Amino acid sequence: MLKLYDCSTAPSPRRARMFLAEKGLEWETVEIDLRTGEHLGEAYRKVHPGGMVPALEHDGHVITENLAIAAYVEALHPEPALLGSTALEKARVAEWNARCEMGGLMAIAEALRNSSPHMKDRALPGPRPVPQIPELAERGRMRLAWWFKAMERRLADNDYMAGDFYSLADITATVTFDFSKWIKEQPGDDHPHCQAYMARMRERTSYSL
Ligand SMILES: N[C@@H](CCC(=O)N[C@@H](CS)C(=O)NCC(=O)O)C(=O)O
């Protein structure tokens, strides 16, 4: 049985949850409360010394990092392929997943973690105290606006991030569009393709997770 160390309110473990659901798998959930700092406590640090979620436990091993979790699960359960089937598809999934993660998800994290009073000295995830830098919050918002524009261009010609098939890149894009609400940003009426894409993504059963 797969065991997912999760936090129902956080964006990164939602990616892992959606991946497992899109695969049609069942798993056991261990909820880790990030608000009370459970992820930095001794018990969870034994599971994941880096003190972050998600972490996937299977067969006596703990896998951390969304990309690693996706690679592991896809190797065990190849269908439906969420990392691409052909060489080119695999490249496109990796490419657009990275663009969504680095250009979108990380931009929001930069804006949120460097401005929210709840994240004082928690500007980076994990056990070390990291002070906020307000200029990084501004830079994060600027990067997010660029990402919305890049997504609008991509979705004008493609139904899905990696082309004409659903993939991990769509999971990351979906989670990123929703995460942007945390800093009160959303693609507006000048981003109709982003809006139509999200309406389609909301119809998938994995979306509610
Ligand atoms: N690159 C990691 C990122 C994991 C991550 O940053 N998780 C956040 C929740 S969204 C976390 O555990 N934060 C703990 C903290 O803020 O200290 C992945 O994709 O798995």
Side-chain angles (χ1 to χ4, degrees):
M1 184 69 160
L2 297 161
K3 187 193 274 190
L4 184 68
Y5 294 87
D6 196 348
C7 173
S8 55
T9 51
S12 293
R14 184 178 177 215
R15 290 171 69 194
R17 245 176 7 245
M18 288 176 69
F19 194 90
L20 296 177
E22 288 284 348
K23 284 283 182 190
L25 297 170
E26 291 186 355
W27 67 96
E28 180 192 338
T29 296
V30 181
E31 178 77 8
I32 301 295
D33 192 339
L34 296 187
R35 280 166 313 176
T36 59
E38 189 181 358
H39 58 301
L40 302 177
E42 205 180 322
Y44 186 61
R45 297 284 294 280
K46 282 193 183 131
V47 176
H48 182 0
M52 285 182 237
V53 283
L56 184 75
E57 193 173 309
H58 182 242
D59 218 8
H61 303 286
V62 175
I63 321 276
T64 63
E65 291 293 332
N66 265 295
L67 267 184
I69 291 171
Y72 181 76
V73 173
E74 181 111 332
L76 290 179
H77 304 277
E79 297 298 331
L82 294 175
L83 299 181
S85 299
T86 66
L88 186 61
E89 282 181 9
K90 286 176 195 290
R92 291 287 174 243
V93 173
E95 183 175 62
W96 286 94
N97 185 65
R99 284 187 183 150
C100 293
E101 183 168 324
M102 302 311 294
L105 202 61
M106 289 302 107
I108 302 164
E110 189 172 70
L112 180 71
R113 299 193 77 112
N114 284 288
S115 62
S116 165
H118 303 293
M119 299 213 157
K120 190 172 176 301
D121 290 326
R122 310 240 7 100
L124 289 175
R128 294 185 192 89
V130 179
Q132 294 177 325
I133 301 174
E135 289 84 356
L136 283 181
E138 287 311 306
R139 190 180 76 174
R141 284 181 187 275
M142 189 172 76
R143 290 172 62 201
L144 179 64
W146 294 337
W147 185 74
F148 282 163
K149 280 206 179 84
M151 293 302 103
E152 186 63 15
R153 282 194 299 273
R154 178 67 179 166
L155 293 167
D157 300 322
N158 296 279
D159 284 345
Y160 299 96
M161 278 295 129
D164 58 2
F165 60 100
Y166 185 87
S167 74
L168 172 68
D170 296 294
I171 292 176
T172 307
T174 299
V175 169
T176 303
F177 277 122
D178 280 350
F179 189 31
S180 66
K181 292 179 197 156
W182 289 39
I183 58 165
K184 300 190 170 32
E185 301 285 356
Q186 276 290 271
D189 292 342
D190 51 342
H191 293 74
H193 297 295
C194 291
Q195 292 186 349
Y197 171 78
M198 276 310 286
R200 289 199 304 281
M201 293 301 111
R202 280 194 285 269
E203 282 168 12
R204 302 185 76 88
T205 50
S206 65
Y207 179 80
S208 58
L209 291 173

